[in-house]
Amino acid sequence: MSLSLNREVLHCDLEFNGLASPLERFQAACSAVAMQFLPSLGGGKTALDTWARDVRLRLLSGLRAQFLALAVDPVRRPQANADLRRAAVLLLEADPHDHEIRNLLSAELGTKKSGEAVPAVAASPAPLAAGRNDVNHSTQPRIALLPPHTSKEASREGSVANALIEDLTIGLCSSRFVSVVAPYTSERIQASKDKASVLEKHNVVYALDSRRNETHLFVQLIFTPTEEVIWADRFELSPVSIASHRTTIAQAIQSQLMSRIGSHQSAVGDFSRRPEAYFLYLKGLQSLSSISLPGTRRARKYFKEALDHGNDLPEALAGMSRTLTMEWILTARGDDDLLKKAEYFADNAIKQNGGSASGFKELGVSRLFMGQIDESLAALAEAESLSPQYADVLCSHADSLIHNSDPKNAIVKIKHAISLNPISPDIYFWTAAGASYFLEEYQQALDYIGRMSSKRLAARLAAACCGMMGDIDKARVYRAKVFEDNPSFDLERWLAVVPHKEPWQTEMYREGLIRAGF
């Protein structure tokens, strides 16, 4: 018995060497590398994994050889410029230290410094790096630029926004300071249902997320280890201005990105030098994703274990502080010792990295509940100046403004935080509900509570809203939930420890709770 292939009905996308045109062969080689041969394999030690990696390396080596041949061909190069740029991105994703490819790309983009020679092309291709895991991420942080549309949508709509992101990707590839994820991979990341885990899988330290509407392109630079938005902006998508100034706009965005990335190099180093601590830190963050006492204490355990690898990790120190203030809120016992410890860890986070917004954020939160409202606002203003687009900072700042008897500005700030982080955690909606309550927008407050995944957390506030609206039956239902979760809750003791700048707030909260039957 024997098997054979029917070549008339079976097409293999890797059989491109038989194509007549060198440009067609080059384009087919680019596509083969971009789509990645057997993407689900290659990570293990089996014979199949080894073979998959070997095929990918051979495809990359073949693409590199064709790239070098076309790059110095005066006849074919003008026809292949766009394809050469895309191939350079793929080759530099596989090996960011391939300076020969980088220099050729820099020369093509006109980014070489005056008088800096481009090395002659080697007669034979240099060996490719074994893979992205060999890259020194502490010196070359990895960035993925996520397009607003899939390539099919972009082609159908003629999306100039995607073209702008591609220009930016190619421009960043000429830099020696970042390792850039190729556009095809970035598109798959953008389309993923679990974007965070895919970014982690690809060792992405920075993600430039992009969204567009009819008139503007919105971009956010996210530091993925802490999910912090460190820069955001929007650009008008006027067909005339974008078509004529695409390169200029891409270079302007690139300048902003490199400036922000440069200011975060110490944070990248912290996470790259101690991957075990980083992994524990991420588990701590994950435990805090839902607000509960067991989750908060579990997060503290992970942050403490992260600090066992070195007690100078500022983000883990800030995480410790956050768990202590959350426990203070959730237990509602007014435990001053929790707040003193929270302040201690926040202070240490700032000492380790005075440029990190997280430390100042947690210092502001701990001082708020210690009754130091002015000092809280000062710390949060510093956090916001360090990271104006960090949604968690804006949320905490809004909460302090509520306690500062300024719910009007608080609602503006929390709405901004929600717009930056549309899949918002419960604490955002809880804060928005608190601001709404003190603006006497009781139904709006209940609507925000309704958007929380765990509404019981805000049962006290919901009871007060229903009490103020005269819906006593609903108010009593929420009151029962409060006592189910905290049988020892005492209204006057709680009001005595919740700080408010002006007495009217305390009285307004007391009135709502008393009407609810507390």
Side-chain angles (χ1 to χ4, degrees):
M1 181 180 177
S2 63
L3 296 174
S4 62
L5 295 176
N6 185 342
R7 297 286 180 178
E8 294 180 3
V9 297
L10 183 66
H11 171 72
C12 178
D13 54 7
L14 299 183
E15 289 184 345
F16 41 76
N17 289 328
L19 295 172
S21 163
L23 183 55
E24 285 182 327
R25 290 198 297 273
F26 183 60
Q27 290 169 338
C30 269
S31 296
V33 170
M35 288 187 290
Q36 193 177 63
F37 180 70
L38 297 179
S40 63
L41 298 174
K45 298 180 180 180
T46 66
L48 190 57
D49 287 313
T50 302
W51 173 70
R53 289 194 296 269
D54 180 62
V55 172
R56 289 176 203 162
L57 283 172
R58 280 189 275 126
L59 290 171
L60 278 164
S61 184
L63 178 62
R64 190 178 190 277
Q66 291 183 63
F67 178 94
L68 295 176
L70 272 175
V72 295
D73 187 326
V75 177
R76 296 192 179 94
R77 175 166 183 150
Q79 307 166 33
N81 270 342
D83 294 308
L84 283 166
R85 290 184 179 193
R86 293 189 182 102
V89 177
L90 291 167
L91 292 166
L92 288 170
E93 180 189 28
D95 182 8
H97 300 294
D98 191 338
H99 299 309
E100 188 174 11
I101 299 295
R102 193 183 302 279
N103 287 336
L104 285 167
L105 179 62
S106 297
E108 167 65 22
L109 295 175
T111 57
K112 295 293 290 182
K113 293 178 182 177
S114 177
E116 187 178 350
V118 177
V121 177
S124 59
L128 286 160
R132 65 173 61 94
N133 292 330
D134 294 329
V135 177
N136 183 347
H137 296 290
S138 63
T139 57
Q140 283 188 315
R142 192 166 172 77
I143 183 171
L145 291 84
L146 310 182
H149 298 293
T150 65
S151 55
K152 287 183 180 178
E153 289 172 335
S155 298
R156 185 173 63 246
E157 299 176 13
S159 175
V160 72
N162 275 52
L164 180 61
I165 294 297
E166 184 172 322
D167 283 350
L168 179 56
T169 302
I170 292 167
L172 283 172
C173 276
S174 67
S175 167
R176 296 176 186 271
F177 302 106
V178 289
S179 167
V180 183
V181 172
Y184 185 81
T185 305
S186 291
E187 183 180 322
R188 286 189 292 180
I189 294 171
Q190 182 70 290
S192 170
K193 292 181 179 178
D194 189 0
K195 200 180 298 184
S197 66
V198 180
L199 288 167
E200 185 181 349
K201 175 185 173 184
H202 287 277
N203 298 318
V204 173
V205 178
Y206 294 100
L208 185 77
D209 203 5
S210 60
R211 295 284 185 275
R212 68 154 298 176
N213 59 19
E214 293 300 318
T215 59
H216 287 84
L217 173 69
F218 300 84
V219 292
Q220 292 184 134
L221 181 64
I222 301 165
F223 182 53
T224 61
T226 60
E227 299 181 354
E228 176 186 354
V229 177
I230 60 174
W231 174 73
D233 209 338
R234 67 177 185 169
F235 302 89
E236 189 176 356
L237 290 177
S238 160
V240 176
S241 64
I242 290 290
S244 57
H245 301 298
R246 227 171 72 184
T247 303
T248 304
I249 293 170
Q251 288 174 348
I253 299 174
Q254 179 179 336
S255 175
Q256 287 276 0
L257 290 180
M258 295 311 296
S259 170
R260 295 291 175 171
I261 289 171
S263 69
H264 271 72
Q265 283 306 294
S266 61
V268 175
D270 280 335
F271 290 110
S272 299
R273 284 192 302 273
R274 291 172 283 195
E276 299 90 351
Y278 171 40
F279 180 72
L280 290 162
Y281 170 78
L282 289 179
K283 291 180 78 172
L285 280 187
Q286 188 177 24
S287 298
L288 282 175
S289 59
S290 61
I291 304 170
S292 68
L293 198 55
T296 298
R297 289 172 174 169
R298 186 164 56 250
R300 187 180 309 145
K301 171 180 169 289
Y302 287 129
F303 292 140
K304 185 177 183 301
E305 289 176 3
L307 291 169
D308 288 341
H309 292 272
N311 60 5
D312 58 342
L313 193 63
E315 299 298 339
L317 289 164
M320 286 289 290
S321 178
R322 184 176 173 189
T323 65
L324 291 158
T325 52
M326 284 308 304
E327 180 162 341
W328 186 90
I329 293 168
L330 291 169
T331 55
R333 291 196 301 262
D335 187 342
D336 289 343
D337 191 48
L338 288 172
L339 297 179
K340 288 175 183 175
K341 288 178 181 176
E343 183 183 34
Y344 167 80
F345 280 109
D347 275 329
N348 278 339
I350 294 168
K351 287 174 185 175
Q352 294 302 326
N353 184 1
S356 170
S358 298
F360 284 102
K361 170 188 173 293
E362 300 308 334
L363 182 64
V365 174
S366 62
R367 287 186 171 170
L368 168 65
F369 296 117
M370 294 172 85
Q372 302 171 18
I373 297 176
D374 291 340
E375 291 84 349
S376 169
L377 289 169
L380 288 161
E382 179 65 22
E384 194 171 333
S385 71
L386 289 167
S387 192
Q389 310 297 330
Y390 191 179
D392 284 0
V393 168
L394 294 172
C395 177
S396 294
H397 202 164
D399 192 35
S400 283
L401 285 170
I402 294 171
H403 290 273
N404 193 48
S405 305
D406 189 5
K408 187 175 180 181
N409 281 319
I411 197 71
V412 172
K413 201 168 286 288
I414 191 59
K415 283 181 177 179
H416 185 198
I418 292 170
S419 72
L420 288 172
N421 193 359
I423 308 175
S424 302
D426 282 349
I427 193 70
Y428 287 36
F429 300 127
W430 195 358
T431 302
S436 300
Y437 179 87
F438 290 111
L439 289 169
E440 300 182 40
E441 298 286 350
Y442 306 120
Q443 186 56 55
Q444 178 176 280
L446 289 171
D447 290 343
Y448 277 120
I449 292 170
R451 294 169 69 180
M452 295 171 65
S453 59
S454 180
K455 301 171 184 58
R456 293 180 76 99
L457 296 169
R460 280 192 305 269
L461 182 57
C465 289
C466 292
M468 295 299 269
M469 293 170 68
D471 192 343
I472 304 305
D473 290 339
K474 270 192 180 179
R476 296 291 167 86
V477 171
Y478 285 118
R479 175 187 176 277
K481 290 179 181 179
V482 171
F483 283 101
E484 283 175 19
D485 295 337
N486 190 351
S488 62
F489 177 76
D490 181 276
L491 174 60
E492 292 305 323
R493 187 173 65 182
W494 176 239
L495 290 175
V497 297
V498 175
H500 290 130
K501 188 79 168 182
E502 297 180 11
W504 66 263
Q505 272 190 289
T506 302
E507 293 310 312
M508 187 176 174
Y509 197 20
R510 176 185 278 111
E511 182 181 355
L513 291 170
I514 288 175
R515 288 189 185 187
F518 283 86

